[in-house]
Amino acid sequence: DSVSFILEYWILIMLDVPQLLSRLKMSLPRSNAAACAMCSMGGVGSTALARHVGSISDKTIREHAYTPGVYDADKGIRLGYMYGNPYDAVLSVFRRNFQDMHSKAMNVNSPTPYKSLKGVSIEQYAEEAVDYFNIQRQFDNWINPDLVKHPTILIKYEGLVDSIDDILGFFESTEPFEVRSRNSSWMKESPKVIDGLQTMYGDLAKQIEAMPAVKILLPKQWQGLVDID
């Protein structure tokens, strides 16, 4: 009945990731067609992992979706959202000169218009101290359990090395994946850049630091998809 299902659901979300993965029998068939989508805040090394697990969102307008709601109409899909230290993430975007393209990607189909960052340097961006990527909004949407319509794994870049087996297990990927470490650090930037980044993303950085390496969110409509015997 509905009461027992609610109890079962809460028992499941209280389990740690290895326990949850061991008790879940995902009835989402893997075939030649990809059944997963990896999204990210950008600048967190998600592209290689997305391609490894066969993400359908790779190089599409949904790879940096501002909300998981853009996948609500998809059937039989698992989602991944990868995030990390926002200071390093933003610096990575600017270092590769992706800032204008990323501003478009992070705001596409959202309530906010895209702000052109073409030709804008990290120093100029930090000085203005306005989050035109709307990273906080994206993060809040993806970690919100009320917006979950598909099994979703939240992945923190800084915990990727220790959690990669759990991540591959969630996506039923049997091939090993080599995690590459970041070669730069925001702490090496100029005081003005650091100050601007902290003004924009200080609260978000604290939220992310407090997050576990991985966390699995389940849709409330999970009855019949989970074997907890």
Side-chain angles (χ1 to χ4, degrees):
D1 57 22
S2 60
V3 174
S4 62
F5 171 65
I6 291 172
L7 289 174
E8 290 171 352
Y9 172 76
W10 283 108
I11 289 171
L12 278 168
I13 63 175
M14 290 173 65
L15 295 173
D16 61 26
V17 171
Q19 289 176 310
L20 182 55
L21 287 173
S22 69
R23 298 184 71 178
L24 283 175
K25 292 181 179 179
M26 300 283 193
S27 63
L28 305 178
R30 301 308 300 268
S31 62
N32 291 333
C36 66
M38 179 74 74
C39 298
S40 81
M41 69 191 312
V44 290
S46 60
T47 299
L49 181 58
R51 293 174 180 175
H52 186 84
V53 300
S55 172
I56 63 171
S57 63
D58 182 42
K59 299 306 177 187
T60 73
I61 62 172
R62 299 199 296 177
E63 69 176 336
H64 298 298
Y66 83 100
T67 174
V70 302
Y71 293 96
D72 283 358
D74 289 72
K75 304 297 182 183
I77 190 172
R78 308 175 205 191
L79 302 179
Y81 174 62
M82 194 165 170
Y83 60 93
N85 181 286
Y87 309 146
D88 284 327
V90 169
L91 287 169
S92 175
V93 169
F94 275 87
R95 186 167 51 250
R96 293 173 292 162
N97 200 32
F98 287 171
Q99 60 269 29
D100 188 58
M101 178 175 63
H102 197 56
S103 179
K104 292 178 183 178
M106 292 287 281
N107 289 288
V108 67
N109 294 325
S110 80
T112 54
Y114 136 76
K115 166 71 173 180
S116 176
L117 296 178
K118 187 174 183 179
V120 175
S121 67
I122 185 59
E123 289 79 13
Q124 292 170 321
Y125 185 74
E127 183 177 5
E128 189 171 358
V130 177
D131 175 23
Y132 290 117
F133 301 126
N134 287 297
I135 299 175
Q136 180 76 64
R137 175 183 65 186
Q138 186 201 50
F139 179 78
D140 290 342
N141 285 338
W142 277 91
I143 70 169
N144 185 349
D146 293 333
L147 298 181
V148 174
K149 297 296 188 294
H150 303 288
T152 302
I153 187 167
L154 308 177
I155 306 165
K156 182 161 70 172
Y157 171 80
E158 288 76 16
L160 193 58
V161 172
D162 295 329
S163 61
I164 189 61
D165 289 342
D166 291 333
I167 296 164
L168 296 179
F170 177 84
F171 290 115
E172 293 189 348
S173 176
T174 58
E175 295 296 321
F177 178 78
E178 180 183 358
V179 179
R180 297 182 180 180
S181 60
R182 198 185 286 280
N183 295 320
S184 59
S185 170
W186 64 272
M187 291 182 286
K188 296 179 181 179
E189 296 297 317
S190 70
K192 287 186 177 181
V193 169
I194 291 175
D195 183 65
L197 290 173
Q198 291 179 329
T199 297
M200 287 183 282
Y201 305 115
D203 291 340
L204 176 59
K206 292 177 183 177
Q207 281 183 271
I208 289 175
E209 185 176 4
M211 290 286 287
V214 293
K215 183 176 182 180
I216 293 175
L217 301 179
L218 300 177
K220 293 180 181 179
Q221 309 89 326
W222 196 246
Q223 193 170 14
L225 292 181
V226 178
D227 180 359
I228 63 172
D229 295 332

